[in-house]
Amino acid sequence: MGAGKTTAIRAISEIAPITTEAANSDHTECNKEETTVAMDYGEITLATGEKLRLYGTPGQARFQFMWPILATGALGVVILIDNSRPDPLADLELYLDAFRALADGGAAVVGVGRMDRCPQPSLEAYAERLAALDVVVPIVPADVRRRNEVLTMLEILLQQLEATWAYDEAIGDGLSGHGLMGAHP
């Protein structure tokens, strides 16, 4: 909660984002006035002309039941972490656990926000935590208010998808470029 998912979608969406903001009733979790309670939605057009649909999940653990619903059919995931929270590495584990299939399929990026105000834990600490969990995904600092930084995370994600699809085709596993939920051998 408060990592910037809604802000990121607003920063890059070519349509007016659809949001489900409601009054925040949990100021101990995050001291902000509104929070996402169902999902956010936006779109961008890729260079190929295809539309990329963007979904932002609610961040509070009490909405955890929504995460697999919104991840169904997803090509990939950007996990945004607020580095100013009390234990952002624990937050990473919580969200990674929820989206592990996408991460294991090579379709995930971790964006760490507010590093300008809270430089610790470092990106290296995130990499070490991911390595301990046997997960290899890119980790980048991210100011989600900046369109170019959000687009960079999506470009990294799309590069992962292209590499995965090329690998799938090379080993002839029969995937038609869309099956990313399973782990590769």
Side-chain angles (χ1 to χ4, degrees), residues 133-155:
L133 297 169
D134 199 29
V135 175
V136 179
V137 299
I139 309 156
V140 296
D143 183 338
V144 296
R145 299 168 298 178
R146 296 189 173 148
R147 178 180 171 81
N148 64 325
E149 292 191 28
V150 178
L151 289 173
T152 295
M153 288 187 290
L154 289 179
E155 287 172 10

Side-chain angles (χ1 to χ4, degrees), residues 29-121:
E29 178 77 16
C30 185
N31 193 21
K32 64 182 221 173
E33 293 306 310
E34 293 185 324
T35 188
T36 301
V37 294
M39 69 172 195
D40 297 322
Y41 176 81
E43 294 178 354
I44 62 171
T45 305
L46 302 176
T48 62
E50 294 176 290
K51 294 280 184 193
L52 183 62
R53 293 181 300 273
L54 310 166
Y55 295 90
T57 65
Q60 304 96 311
R62 66 187 167 136
F63 292 117
Q64 197 168 357
F65 71 94
M66 293 279 304
W67 302 343
I69 295 167
L70 293 173
T72 300
L75 293 175
V77 63
V78 174
I79 298 173
L80 294 176
I81 302 294
D82 177 354
N83 217 39
S84 68
R85 290 195 23 97
D87 192 352
L89 294 174
D91 293 342
L92 173 65
E93 285 192 42
L94 173 71
Y95 300 120
L96 182 62
D97 185 51
F99 299 100
R100 183 70 186 242
L102 290 166
D104 286 347
V109 174
V110 174
V112 182
R114 298 191 179 92
M115 292 195 77
D116 55 334
R117 292 187 306 173
C118 294
Q120 297 301 318

Side-chain angles (χ1 to χ4, degrees), residues 9-23:
I9 288 175
R10 284 184 179 144
I12 64 170
S13 182
E14 297 168 348
I15 65 169
I18 298 167
T19 62
T20 58
E21 297 285 296

